[in-house]
């Protein structure tokens, strides 16, 4: 066969092989994920559009002892590199005349993400409910994802105990959580550095403290700071319930069955260059009696304070102070205790 005829005979085979190679490349591209595209890997939940904020999730249900319930579950898409305040409020009431002198209740707020670079957080509190007395739990946390991420948040309420006097009692649970983006300074106190701690009878103790250089706040004429704090406490009417960090915080000498009479104070002060207080810009207090029936409680406080145009010092100090008038000592737990300071930039 002449050379030119042989070349023409091989051409169709060359085209077929080229077509097969292109088809294989296309199929491979469809199978493999694009490493440059967010959410390309299996199981990823990267958000497409950030959720409009503030966002509120509310739901009501009933709980019959023993039972755990979960409500107000919702997903939110957050932007990496930003800080978000999440607050939770749960109200409930043990019916008048229902079984048992008191009824345990634990509540929690959980916010979780499948992304390992998005920090999951939880916070809550416990208290024994008394007949006919409405109880409100309040707490808060900061979410600070490093990357854009989808979170799922929910509220839980729990009384898992079967062999208790309140078994079979039904209560209504009303829960709300709210999330909003922090537009200025947002700072959460490292509570583990100071807590847990026991406040003996007759003592006044700073149980949480945070200092903020005023230079870190935005330069504006109407500077304001919002502080939210919750203390999870137990009165030493017995050793039970005071355990944390591997030991009991109520010793024998701390115990008194009458419970604790407490003055709880949230105080914001300006310190001069020597560290002395030169101005008090907020100081609120409340008196709380925690007897053996209530036993443990979540003490919530909030303040919004204005900063003067020309402050007397360079540092702001935020303090949560407990004065225990006795007769039992009081344990302040690190678990479910929080303090968050936020710069108010709106208005």
């Amino acid at each position: 066969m002449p050379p030119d005829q042989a070349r023409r005979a091989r051409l169709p085979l060359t085209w077929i092989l080229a077509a097969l190679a292109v088809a294989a490349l296309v199929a491979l591209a469809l199978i493999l994920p694009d490493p440059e595209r967010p959410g390309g890997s299996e199981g990823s939940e990267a958000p497409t559009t950030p959720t409009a904020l503030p966002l509120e999730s509310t739901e009501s249900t009933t709980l019959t002892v023993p039972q755990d319930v979960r409500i107000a579950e919702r997903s939110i898409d957050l932007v990496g590199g930003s800080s978000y305040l999440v607050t939770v409020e749960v109200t409930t009431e043990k019916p008048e005349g229902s079984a048992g002198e008191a009824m345990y209740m634990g509540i929690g707020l959980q916010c979780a993400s499948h992304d390992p670079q998005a920090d999951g957080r939880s916070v809550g509190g416990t208290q024994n409910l008394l007949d006919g007395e409405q109880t409100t739990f309040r707490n808060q946390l900061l979410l600070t994802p490093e990357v854009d991420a989808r979170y799922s948040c929910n509220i839980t309420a729990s009384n898992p105990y079967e062999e208790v006097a309140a078994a079979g009692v039904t209560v209504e649970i009303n829960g709300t959580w709210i999330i909003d983006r922090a537009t200025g300074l947002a700072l959460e106190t490292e509570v583990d550095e100071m807590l847990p701690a026991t406040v003996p009878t007759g003592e006044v103790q700073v149980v949480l403290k945070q200092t903020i250089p005023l230079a870190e706040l935005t330069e504006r004429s109407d500077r304001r700071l919002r502080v939210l704090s919750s203390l999870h406490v137990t009165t030493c009417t017995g050793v039970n319930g005071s355990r944390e960090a591997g030991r009991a915080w109520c010793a024998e000498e701390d115990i008194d069955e009458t419970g604790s009479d407490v003055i709880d104070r949230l105080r914001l002060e300006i310190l001069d260059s020597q560290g002395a207080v030169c101005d008090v810009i907020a100081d609120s207090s409340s008196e709380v009696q925690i007897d053996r029936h209530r036993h443990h409680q979540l003490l919530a406080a909030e303040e919004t304070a204005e900063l003067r145009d020309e402050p007397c010092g360079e540092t702001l100090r935020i303090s949560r102070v407990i004065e225990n008038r006795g007769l039992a000592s009081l344990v302040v737990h690190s678990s479910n205790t929080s303090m968050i300071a936020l710069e108010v930039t709106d208005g």
Side-chain angles (χ1 to χ4, degrees):
M1 179 183 297
D4 58 336
Q5 289 183 353
R7 201 164 40 244
R8 283 196 300 269
R10 288 194 299 269
L11 283 177
L13 180 59
T14 303
W15 293 342
I16 291 170
L17 292 175
L20 289 173
V22 170
L25 289 173
V26 171
L28 188 62
L30 291 174
I31 294 171
L32 294 177
D34 181 356
E36 299 299 323
R37 187 178 63 187
S41 59
E42 184 179 353
S44 173
E45 294 190 13
T48 54
T49 303
T51 301
L53 300 177
L55 179 141
E56 177 179 314
S57 184
T58 301
E59 189 177 352
S60 298
T61 190
T62 57
L63 179 152
T64 301
V65 181
Q67 188 180 10
D68 300 331
V69 297
R70 185 186 306 272
I71 58 174
E73 188 162 10
R74 190 161 178 179
S75 294
I76 44 177
D77 293 334
L78 304 182
V79 177
S82 297
S83 296
Y84 298 87
L85 173 69
V86 191
T87 60
V88 61
E89 179 175 301
V90 176
T91 59
T92 187
E93 182 176 332
K94 183 176 184 289
E96 189 76 48
S98 58
E101 291 181 304
M103 171 184 157
Y104 170 86
M105 181 61 66
I107 67 99
L109 168 71
Q110 294 83 29
C111 292
S113 173
H114 290 290
D115 195 312
Q117 291 182 282
D119 57 329
R121 300 289 309 281
S122 64
V123 74
T126 64
Q127 184 171 326
N128 286 344
L129 310 181
L130 306 183
D131 276 17
E133 180 180 278
Q134 187 178 80
T135 299
T136 300
F137 299 84
R138 294 187 182 91
N139 216 324
Q140 49 281 319
L141 57 80
L142 279 182
L143 292 178
T144 56
E146 296 181 11
V147 297
D148 294 359
R150 174 166 295 167
Y151 280 83
S152 178
C153 296
N154 64 74
I155 295 170
T156 57
S158 175
N159 184 326
Y161 303 111
E162 297 181 5
E163 303 299 325
V164 293
V169 173
T170 298
V171 297
E172 185 175 351
I173 305 291
N174 304 291
T176 298
W177 60 266
I178 300 172
I179 183 170
D180 201 2
R181 182 172 175 267
T183 56
L185 176 76
L187 188 62
E188 186 167 6
T189 302
E190 295 290 339
V191 300
D192 292 343
E193 294 180 0
M194 300 186 68
L195 300 174
T198 302
V199 184
T201 296
E203 290 197 10
V204 179
Q205 189 169 321
V206 177
V207 294
L208 283 181
K209 181 173 61 177
Q210 180 72 57
T211 57
I212 304 172
L214 294 178
E216 293 186 5
L217 301 178
T218 305
E219 285 292 339
R220 51 186 288 165
S221 59
D222 57 344
R223 294 187 298 176
R224 290 178 295 155
L225 197 74
R226 181 187 180 196
V227 178
L228 305 95
S229 179
S230 297
L231 298 181
H232 188 209
V233 301
T234 299
T235 183
C236 291
T237 54
V239 175
N240 291 339
S242 73
R243 295 195 65 85
E244 189 174 8
R247 73 176 183 87
W249 291 82
C250 289
E252 289 297 327
E253 60 270 21
D254 296 316
I255 295 173
D256 192 291
E257 290 188 357
T258 58
S260 304
D261 187 355
V262 173
I263 302 295
D264 170 31
R265 174 171 284 111
L266 176 60
R267 187 175 173 90
L268 280 69
E269 305 161 316
I270 304 297
L271 308 182
D272 63 20
S273 58
Q274 305 302 313
V277 177
C278 60
D279 193 9
V280 177
I281 61 174
D283 189 357
S284 60
S285 63
S286 61
E287 183 172 355
V288 184
Q289 292 181 329
I290 309 171
D291 63 14
R292 67 182 181 88
H293 296 301
R294 194 182 311 279
H295 189 48
H296 39 170
Q297 193 165 347
L298 194 62
L299 306 179
E302 180 176 351
E303 277 288 346
T304 299
E306 292 189 9
L307 301 172
R308 305 185 195 283
D309 291 343
E310 297 181 2
C312 60
E314 302 172 348
T315 304
L316 171 68
R317 183 171 67 191
I318 307 167
S319 303
R320 196 80 189 265
V321 183
I322 290 293
E323 177 185 350
N324 184 11
R325 298 179 176 180
L327 296 171
S329 296
L330 187 79
V331 176
V332 183
H333 298 277
S334 60
S335 63
N336 296 318
T337 287
S338 64
M339 189 162 73
I340 296 173
L342 299 146
E343 190 174 6
V344 181
T345 59
D346 61 328

